[in-house]
Amino acid sequence: MSEPVGREGPHTEGGVAYLVRFRAQRGSGGALAELLLAAADSMGTVPGCLLYAVNSAADDADTLWVTEVWRSAADHAASLEADGARELIGRAAPLLDGAPERTDLVPLGGWGLRA
């Protein structure tokens, strides 16, 4: 059983979380979602990734949200250089309507986070 992430868990110090909103060009939400889900599929082997969840806004298929929890900011930065990451980012860029908007968070705990 994995240890919990939280105030008293092993990954609180230095742990980071991000909530990222992606706005796709009109009608491109499905294609962007496919790319983000491909990124999610690869996260199981990326060191330090505790959660990477892709969501669509209930009222707008062209607005996607990614929730990420990482053991450290360094792990997140390294993930952007992992095999295939730059290629996926390059394929996603033309689908975007503006830059992704990221909110930095401090993970306190919860169900579903895996160490």
Side-chain angles (χ1 to χ4, degrees):
M1 181 174 213
S2 298
E3 294 181 79
V5 175
R7 292 178 197 263
E8 298 170 16
H11 304 295
T12 300
E13 187 174 329
V16 296
Y18 307 112
L19 182 61
V20 186
R21 178 171 55 182
F22 295 86
R23 290 188 179 147
Q25 302 265 348
R26 182 180 227 75
S28 297
L32 182 58
E34 286 181 25
L35 292 173
L36 292 172
L37 289 168
D41 284 345
S42 70
M43 289 300 153
T45 60
V46 175
C49 184
L50 304 176
L51 176 72
Y52 189 98
V54 179
N55 307 276
S56 175
D59 61 350
D60 181 4
D62 291 329
T63 298
L64 300 160
W65 294 87
V66 174
T67 306
E68 303 178 56
V69 180
W70 294 87
R71 198 172 13 235
S72 71
D75 285 332
H76 175 257
S79 77
L80 297 174
E81 302 302 325
D83 288 342
R86 286 286 163 210
E87 187 262 335
L88 276 173
I89 292 168
R91 289 175 50 204
L95 301 174
L96 295 174
D97 182 12
E101 299 169 26
R102 185 177 94 181
T103 300
D104 294 4
L105 306 167
V106 176
L108 300 177
W111 186 87
L113 300 176
R114 301 282 183 237

